Amino acid sequence: MDWWAAANSLNDSRPRRSPAGRTPRLGILHVASEAEPWAKTGGLADVLGALPAALEALGHRVTTVLPLYRGAVLPGAERRPLSIRLGALTWQGSLHVLALSPGRRVVGVDVPEWFDRDGLYASGGHDYPDNAERFAGLAHAALDFAQQDLDGGRIDIVHAHDWQAGLVPALIRQQPARWTRVARAGLVMTIHNLAYQGLFPKEVVGRLGLGWDLFTVALGEFWDQFSYLKCGIASSDMVTTVSPTYARESTQPALGFGFDGVLRALGDRYVGILNGIDTTVWDPASDPRLPARYSALDLTGKQVNKRALLDRFGLPVGDDALARPVIGMVSRLVSQKGFDLMLDAADELMALDATWVVLGSGDAAYEARLQDLARRVPSRIGVHIGFDEGLAHLIEAGADVFLMPSRFEPCGLNQMYSLRYGTVPVVRAVGGLDDTVRPYRARARRANGFKFRDATPDALIRTIRQVLRVHKRPERWAALMREGMSDDHSWGPSAREYVKVYRQARYAAALRWAD
Ligand code: ADP
Ligand code: GLC
């Protein structure tokens, strides 16, 4: 029996077909802690903002459940009451259900006690002490929603993202009789970053009434702590991560964060699918956030943006400054992103013929070192500490070069935004950065940027020197820009890869039930 027949014999005897007549439409439920435009700290939000629309474009029905944090609103949403019991305590709130288009809905989980706060996961550099409750609550809310959402159609796939949604597949496997509407769905878990594992003291298992059957080596136990991410990985039919190279790297001890063995054991149930980018939001030809729009055919607007960018950072804007390359960085300021390499090399880098602009927020130590650098060499580097979407777009458009010296990078989106904006990426050869940047070499065809391997300040300095040499050769530089601007990183191909994974997950779920 093929997967579809197998799945249908267990689920629903009426195979439904898309208007195209061939592929059956899938009902997909995403659960995540961020999604553009409602909540964002990093690339997870960009992915959840764009992937559902790409899946809808392939004919599928998609619902995304996420917390409704402070300030987020879903105008016109239908409200449904919500009551969540975890252990001895009960929380009250509501679900805000909004149809965005015929095939796409978003559901905001509104429990003010959990989500009406300054930050998403932390405040003042400290994780909220009740994150275990908050995201156990998200999982229960998503499952209760699915169970009661009788008018939303069948759910074929439940797709959980990162540790915050890790309990979703685990609870479905644990209590199929409670969540019957998703019990037979294919379960997919995507790891966006293994460094965040949702690790809590094991007492949460009892306190939140999660059931000690989840606290086993085969499920959520991780060195005597309880990991939401491990629960999700171990309970899912298919596990994905966000680039092919990171899928390989994460199965090795060096970048596996202790999960490499668990991931290796999945074999071909663990797959890397490169993220796409939202080409409607990130398009220099139509970006409303830019002072001037431009395209590969006419780059004059890029120079206008460069001047606006320098001006915005209070940097010199004379002819000399405009001729000098601007190197941009936009990032969470955490050790993953390799800021220490840049800061340790700062004296030499600031002496080179380039101007630097940095936008970021995160660890107080990096914030302070960057601000200190900007005070010491104010004519060469501008630093803005904070989260500013508009400024991120201006940097992508106005800079000549975009630097990502990451120690590890599951995918990385900014290098792809940079390519599309004609801003040449300089990256460490890791994860998705390695998969998307083709390095410049003499006579290399199709190069679109620069890469270095060693995580050392020296390797970074050498590469930036090479970048500045090539920048002085206008034809070579223009070829790099052109090449990057013609790369296609739209979501379509990656969404198709997800659909393949969904079909495998459905098949695996059907086999589970047949056993
Ligand atoms: P990560 O998810 O690890 O932070 P990604 O490269 O996948 O890295 O995605 C980061 C996303 O967050 C990008 O859209 C980037 O522009 C955005 N971003 C990061 N820091 C800031 C900031 N300080 N201000 C505005 N946008 C930011
Ligand atoms: C994570 C990773 C980043 C990836 C993003 C979206 O935050 O750090 O590399 O692009 O998720 O998948």
Side-chain angles (χ1 to χ4, degrees):
M1 206 175 340
D2 73 9
W3 73 271
W4 178 235
N8 272 301
S9 69
L10 290 160
N11 257 317
D12 169 348
S13 57
R14 294 160 297 132
R16 282 169 304 171
R17 299 192 175 270
S18 70
R22 286 200 165 268
T23 33
R25 277 157 57 102
L26 297 172
I28 303 157
L29 181 76
H30 287 280
V31 186
S33 58
E34 301 186 17
E36 276 274 76
W38 303 285
K40 170 165 173 174
T41 66
L44 174 66
D46 301 44
V47 172
L48 269 297
L51 174 60
L55 290 167
E56 183 192 23
L58 296 176
H60 305 291
R61 284 177 294 108
V62 190
T63 302
T64 305
V65 181
L66 80 158
L68 206 63
Y69 301 100
R70 177 172 297 172
V73 280
L74 296 173
E78 176 202 333
R79 299 203 180 192
R80 302 183 189 173
L82 178 71
S83 169
I84 295 172
R85 191 189 162 101
L86 296 174
L89 293 177
T90 303
W91 281 267
Q92 306 293 342
S94 56
L95 294 164
H96 299 212
V97 183
L98 180 66
L100 300 168
S101 58
R104 197 155 43 99
R105 294 184 305 172
V106 61
V107 179
V109 177
D110 181 17
V111 179
E113 245 181 287
W114 283 333
F115 301 126
D116 184 14
R117 301 189 184 179
D118 287 348
L120 270 52
Y121 317 118
S123 177
H126 298 289
D127 282 352
Y128 291 125
D130 58 349
N131 275 345
E133 276 93 318
R134 297 171 78 225
F135 294 102
L138 172 66
H140 280 84
L143 294 173
D144 283 352
F145 164 76
Q147 189 62 19
Q148 287 153 22
D149 182 48
L150 298 175
D151 51 348
R154 194 173 73 178
I155 298 166
D156 302 297
I157 295 294
V158 177
H159 188 164
H161 297 263
D162 273 353
W163 74 262
Q164 291 89 345
L167 287 182
V168 171
L171 293 170
I172 293 174
R173 295 285 294 271
Q174 183 193 46
Q175 300 171 68
R178 177 170 174 195
W179 286 298
T180 51
R181 292 196 67 246
V182 285
R184 290 165 185 251
L187 305 178
V188 179
M189 175 89 217
T190 293
I191 302 167
H192 295 261
N193 195 333
L194 263 184
Y196 304 99
Q197 305 178 338
L199 271 183
F200 301 103
K202 61 184 170 195
E203 58 85 20
V204 305
V205 177
R207 186 161 50 80
L208 302 184
L210 297 175
W212 286 102
D213 53 335
L214 296 186
F215 192 74
T216 62
V217 183
L219 288 171
E221 192 269 351
F222 188 66
W223 299 104
D224 208 34
Q225 288 191 293
F226 186 60
S227 162
Y228 283 17
L229 182 65
K230 190 165 172 237
C231 270
I233 292 172
S235 310
S236 292
D237 296 304
M238 291 293 291
V239 179
T240 76
T241 189
V242 289
S243 71
T245 294
Y246 190 64
R248 284 192 300 278
E249 290 169 343
S250 53
T251 57
Q252 301 304 315
L255 290 181
F257 287 92
F259 275 54
D260 44 297
V262 174
L263 295 172
R264 269 196 308 277
L266 295 173
D268 56 12
R269 291 197 299 118
Y270 182 43
V271 177
I273 301 177
L274 191 71
N275 285 333
I277 61 172
D278 188 329
T279 49
T280 58
V281 174
W282 294 94
D283 179 1
S286 62
D287 190 335
R289 293 177 161 112
L290 302 183
R293 283 163 274 285
Y294 60 95
S295 69
L297 296 175
D298 179 2
L299 288 164
T300 42
K302 190 158 172 66
Q303 198 70 358
V304 177
N305 292 316
K306 180 169 178 175
R307 175 187 280 276
L309 174 63
L310 292 170
D311 203 39
R312 176 83 184 264
F313 275 91
L315 290 158
V317 288
D319 288 347
D320 280 2
L322 284 175
R324 196 178 286 142
V326 170
I327 303 178
M329 299 177 85
V330 177
S331 182
R332 293 183 296 120
L333 300 178
V334 294
S335 62
Q336 170 190 349
K337 302 293 179 178
F339 276 88
D340 53 330
L341 300 180
M342 183 264 187
L343 286 161
D344 291 350
D347 287 344
E348 285 188 61
L349 294 177
M350 294 305 126
L352 299 174
D353 197 24
T355 308
W356 297 69
V357 292
V358 182
L359 166 64
S361 62
D363 291 357
Y366 292 123
E367 293 184 355
R369 284 181 76 187
L370 283 166
Q371 282 172 316
D372 180 55
L373 185 60
R375 270 191 295 274
R376 284 198 286 123
V377 266
S379 63
R380 278 307 158 90
I381 179 165
V383 170
H384 182 88
I385 300 298
F387 195 94
D388 187 332
E389 197 80 40
L391 189 52
H393 282 246
L394 183 59
I395 292 175
E396 286 294 3
D400 299 284
V401 175
F402 197 92
L403 175 62
M404 297 177 77
S406 304
R407 291 186 173 274
F408 66 94
E409 194 63 75
C411 180
L413 297 172
N414 281 108
Q415 82 280 15
M416 295 191 270
Y417 301 149
S418 300
L419 290 168
R420 192 156 161 84
Y421 279 62
T423 302
V424 175
V426 179
V427 304
R428 240 196 104 220
V430 285
L433 300 176
D434 205 15
D435 290 336
T436 48
V437 175
R438 301 182 296 277
Y440 175 87
R441 281 190 223 97
R443 286 190 299 280
R445 292 227 194 118
R446 304 225 46 222
N448 62 4
F450 296 82
K451 279 205 251 209
F452 61 101
R453 285 205 177 270
D454 295 344
T456 60
D458 275 353
L460 172 60
I461 294 165
R462 266 200 310 278
T463 310
I464 297 291
R465 283 185 194 282
Q466 184 195 20
V467 170
L468 300 187
R469 278 197 303 275
V470 179
H471 186 259
K472 289 206 166 72
R473 316 276 297 262
E475 274 168 36
R476 291 193 185 180
W477 195 260
L480 281 172
M481 288 172 70
R482 261 199 317 272
E483 198 56 54
M485 291 182 96
S486 64
D487 283 353
D488 179 6
H489 285 294
S490 56
W491 262 106
S494 301
R496 282 195 185 85
E497 296 283 305
Y498 275 107
V499 173
K500 270 192 222 156
V501 165
Y502 293 158
R503 300 204 186 290
Q504 289 167 315
R506 285 207 73 194
Y507 186 46
L511 292 180
R512 262 199 281 124
W513 278 86
D515 275 349

